[in-house]
Amino acid sequence: MADLQKKASQFRITNQENGTTTTSHSTTSYKCEKCQDLGLIFVDNNTARICECAAQRKIERLFKSSEITEEFKKLNFTNFKREGRPQVVQEAFKCAVAYFKSFPNIRSQRRNSIALLGNPGAGKTHLLTAVANNLIKNQIEVLYFPYREGFDEIKDDLETLEQKCERMKSVEVLFIDDLFKRGATDFEVKTMYSVINYRYLNHKPIMVSSEYLEDDLLDVDEALGSRIIEMCRDFLVEIQGDRKLLNYRLAK
């Protein structure tokens, strides 16, 4: 305990030197006054407990590393517009909510993933981002990978490929948005297969939105598509129909 208190004191001094605390009229201001930004509260000389702020700090770190934009952090189930939307959109909403609620029990299983496929503008990205935001708030690590933008960045700097692929493989939950948007090159398919196959073999969840339906995914690459479909089988919705009704940008 004495060693822990010594480290805590050194941590406080370091924070002050780094400017993370401010002093005014001999009073130091902290983000958390309970633990003075240490993450620990010393009950007595022999006892310490983790401060409530530690969980919030972890959540903040997870959001920062998720690569979810500030605008997307605002997306949740509550602000998803359901009123007057087609039945299949209602089903997608229910599927996303059910997946989030089921996640703690299925996360280590083979069928531990979710896919919302089909028409653009139906809210697929909104719903899966709502799932991602809620998972992060429950201290689950999520990485957001927008398919087209992500591969464009990789192609601009191929030296980052290995590092980015390793992160996509290792993260607790991988969210692939708009899979195969504007088609897929051999390079992209091979890269995606490497990532998805690793996650498939190690029972690591994925979340997928795509304008491609199940058969379309299989046509691109059956080995890749069949793995995605198997992983997402229990939480998979195909959204098809009149674009003027399904696409909220076009619906009156």
Side-chain angles (χ1 to χ4, degrees):
M1 180 59 66
D3 184 55
L4 186 60
Q5 289 175 321
K6 180 179 179 181
K7 289 181 179 179
S9 177
Q10 291 173 340
F11 177 81
R12 183 184 293 110
I13 293 171
T14 301
N15 274 355
Q16 290 174 336
E17 290 176 347
N18 290 337
T20 57
T21 60
T22 57
T23 303
S24 177
H25 304 295
S26 299
T27 300
T28 303
S29 176
Y30 301 96
K31 289 182 179 180
C32 179
E33 295 295 336
K34 290 182 180 180
C35 69
Q36 297 183 354
D37 295 346
L38 296 175
L40 291 173
I41 294 177
F42 294 95
V43 179
D44 53 42
N45 288 333
N46 298 309
T47 311
R49 64 178 177 84
I50 297 175
C51 181
E52 294 81 358
C53 75
Q56 183 57 39
R57 289 188 184 186
K58 180 179 179 180
I59 291 170
E60 290 172 359
R61 291 195 300 271
L62 289 174
F63 266 116
K64 185 175 181 180
S65 65
S66 71
E67 300 189 22
I68 294 175
T69 65
E70 290 299 320
E71 193 64 27
F72 274 21
K73 290 176 185 177
K74 301 174 186 177
L75 301 179
N76 54 53
F77 295 128
T78 304
N79 59 27
F80 182 79
K81 295 181 181 179
R82 299 172 59 197
E83 186 177 354
R85 303 294 299 280
Q87 182 60 34
V88 69
V89 175
Q90 307 288 353
E91 292 173 6
F93 175 86
K94 292 176 183 178
C95 177
V97 173
Y99 177 74
F100 168 67
K101 291 181 177 179
S102 302
F103 185 84
N105 297 321
I106 67 171
R107 60 183 301 177
S108 298
Q109 299 177 13
R110 166 70 71 212
R111 292 157 68 157
N112 58 7
S113 303
I114 181 172
L116 301 181
L117 312 174
N119 284 50
K124 302 185 298 296
T125 294
H126 184 138
L127 290 172
L128 292 185
T129 303
V131 174
N133 288 337
N134 278 286
L135 289 176
I136 292 172
K137 290 174 183 176
N138 281 270
Q139 302 185 47
I140 304 297
E141 182 190 22
V142 179
L143 175 63
Y144 175 67
F145 181 75
Y147 181 84
R148 180 47 51 209
E149 293 85 350
F151 270 110
D152 286 346
E153 289 181 6
I154 288 173
K155 290 171 184 175
D156 287 340
D157 186 2
L158 288 174
E159 291 184 359
T160 66
L161 175 62
E162 183 176 352
Q163 179 182 355
K164 290 189 176 183
C165 283
E166 285 304 312
R167 183 148 186 246
M168 285 193 283
K169 290 177 180 179
S170 64
V171 68
E172 287 185 81
V173 179
L174 176 62
F175 174 14
I176 306 169
D177 192 21
D178 262 336
L179 177 65
F180 300 144
K181 184 72 174 180
R182 299 204 317 262
T185 65
D186 288 343
F187 167 75
E188 292 167 359
V189 170
K190 288 178 181 178
T191 302
M192 274 288 95
Y193 179 83
S194 173
V195 170
I196 296 299
N197 188 53
Y198 179 89
R199 301 189 68 83
Y200 174 86
L201 294 174
N202 291 278
H203 292 196
K204 297 176 75 68
I206 59 173
M207 303 196 301
V208 178
S209 78
S210 179
E211 294 176 13
Y212 284 46
L213 301 175
E214 287 189 44
D215 285 344
D216 301 321
L217 296 178
L218 295 172
D219 287 342
V220 171
D221 187 274
E222 188 165 341
L224 172 57
S226 60
R227 281 165 172 75
I228 293 172
I229 292 167
E230 183 181 358
M231 294 171 73
C232 301
R233 175 54 66 203
D234 292 339
F235 299 92
L236 190 153
V237 177
E238 290 190 311
I239 302 172
Q240 301 180 73
D242 187 340
R243 69 178 63 178
K244 291 185 178 179
L245 295 177
L246 291 173
N247 192 326
Y248 71 89
R249 304 180 189 93
L250 302 175
K252 296 181 180 179

